[in-house]
Amino acid sequence: WSSDVCSSDLMYFKYAGEFKDAKPRSGGTQAIFYDKDGDVIYEGYGTGEPDYVPLDEIPDSIKKATLAAEDKNFYSHGPIDVKGIIRAAFRNWQGSEKIGIAKISGLFNENEYSQGGSSITQQLVKNRYLENEKSFERKLKELVYSYELEKRLSKDQILEQYLNYIYYGEQALGIKNAAKVYFNKDLGELTLPEASLLAGLPAAPSKYSIISGDYEASKKRQEYVLQQMILSGMITEEEGREAVNSPLKLSGKHQGIMKYPYFVQYVKQELINIYG
């Protein structure tokens, strides 16, 4: 027993040491080409760099909707929401149509969760510090990194980074970019219906995108976010009903700049030849 404890301690310190040197990723994957005068001649369809916004400049409706959607007890639990994980496992057990071993194994597969149990800290770690591989070692790293991150940053700082670096679908990285892509609005102009819809997107951006995803699933997710806001006392039932029934005016899908496409393709190929 003591050797197991010693081994787990060594594992923790190993990953904690790795985290000290870990460089967070922005998540941007967009290629941008400039001409000799510095003007943009091509914007790829990857995800652009986030347009960073301090937490105190993000409206309360967005912060509350995000907490309701992803981690309503974020400010009262540690890096890991143990109760949330148990609650999510129970709900997913109830909602699963699988039987036998397949149903049990599904409880350990986050991709099969209808409601996740990961805290906002864990989600930030997964998005900024870890690769997408699925492995037991990666899960251990996620837990250790989450504890280490909360030693470095306050809860407010973690929520700020989450809102700025999480992916909202439609090539929108960060809440400010998402507001522009989906509604062509600044953050301060977002209504409760719009804020609640955006807050629900990070759980499954492709599926919940109201532009190119499943419209019914998107509205159902928005309704879930509003229900959680009501249950948490963030809004009244009347405000929730009004929000879910309000029509949404979309800006249309973002289109990038594309001048001189053949020349750009030539340059891209040359870069691949040189750098791989």
Side-chain angles (χ1 to χ4, degrees):
W1 178 78
S2 60
S3 63
D4 289 340
V5 172
C6 184
S7 177
S8 63
D9 286 345
L10 288 173
M11 191 71 75
Y12 185 96
F13 287 118
K14 176 192 172 190
Y15 293 144
E18 286 180 11
F19 183 68
K20 287 179 182 178
D21 300 320
K23 297 287 190 293
R25 300 187 306 270
S26 73
T29 60
Q30 186 182 42
I32 302 176
F33 289 74
Y34 302 86
D35 65 14
K36 62 184 177 62
D37 298 317
D39 295 324
V40 176
I41 60 171
Y42 176 87
E43 285 184 1
Y45 287 96
T47 306
E49 292 294 311
D51 197 349
Y52 203 92
V53 192
L55 191 64
D56 59 8
E57 293 179 19
I58 297 174
D60 279 347
S61 60
I62 294 169
K63 289 183 276 195
K64 288 177 178 178
T66 298
L67 292 171
E70 297 297 335
D71 190 356
K72 61 185 178 183
N73 297 314
F74 172 66
Y75 281 96
S76 60
H77 63 64
I80 312 300
D81 183 7
V82 177
K83 289 181 181 178
I85 291 171
I86 295 170
R87 189 166 53 245
F90 178 69
R91 287 174 179 168
N92 286 301
W93 170 270
Q94 288 183 313
S96 174
E97 295 179 358
K98 295 183 176 181
I99 58 174
I101 297 297
K103 187 166 184 173
I104 295 171
S105 64
L107 295 177
F108 300 95
N109 185 351
E110 291 178 64
N111 293 332
E112 296 185 19
Y113 271 28
S114 58
Q115 293 183 34
S118 292
S119 67
I120 280 177
T121 303
Q122 284 176 269
Q123 291 180 53
L124 182 63
V125 163
K126 281 188 279 192
N127 278 276
R128 298 208 71 199
Y129 293 94
L130 297 172
E131 301 299 327
N132 289 327
E133 62 185 284
K134 301 292 181 186
S135 68
F136 183 67
E137 183 184 14
R138 180 189 173 279
K139 193 64 184 177
L140 285 177
K141 280 186 178 182
E142 178 193 313
L143 299 176
V144 174
Y145 283 18
S146 296
Y147 275 94
E148 292 301 309
L149 187 64
E150 289 214 357
K151 289 179 184 177
R152 288 188 188 184
L153 303 177
S154 68
K155 290 282 191 179
D156 279 352
Q157 289 172 317
I158 289 169
L159 180 60
E160 177 179 293
Q161 287 201 14
Y162 176 91
L163 288 165
N164 279 285
Y165 289 109
I166 207 71
Y167 182 57
Y168 288 87
E170 304 299 337
Q171 312 303 339
L173 192 64
I175 188 64
K176 186 172 182 178
N177 289 343
K180 282 292 182 187
V181 168
Y182 284 89
F183 302 111
N184 196 28
K185 287 186 173 184
D186 290 325
L187 288 180
E189 299 173 318
L190 290 177
T191 62
L192 178 59
E194 293 163 347
S196 59
L197 183 119
L198 292 179
L201 293 174
S206 298
K207 178 181 178 181
Y208 293 137
S209 168
I210 203 164
I211 292 175
S212 64
D214 184 330
Y215 178 84
E216 292 301 322
S218 180
K219 287 297 291 181
K220 204 173 254 189
R221 177 67 177 165
Q222 180 199 30
E223 187 176 348
Y224 168 78
V225 174
L226 290 164
Q227 285 173 345
Q228 293 304 307
M229 292 182 80
I230 292 168
L231 290 172
S232 299
M234 298 172 179
I235 58 173
T236 64
E237 283 190 41
E238 186 179 346
E239 287 171 327
R241 274 197 302 272
E242 187 179 329
V244 81
N245 292 316
S246 295
L248 295 163
K249 187 177 179 182
L250 302 174
S251 67
K253 196 166 183 176
H254 171 69
Q255 298 295 323
I257 297 170
M258 193 181 293
K259 296 179 183 176
Y260 320 122
Y262 295 108
F263 175 71
V264 166
Q265 284 301 120
Y266 165 76
V267 173
K268 283 170 76 173
Q269 189 56 53
E270 284 296 298
L271 289 169
I272 290 168
N273 293 341
I274 296 168
Y275 297 106

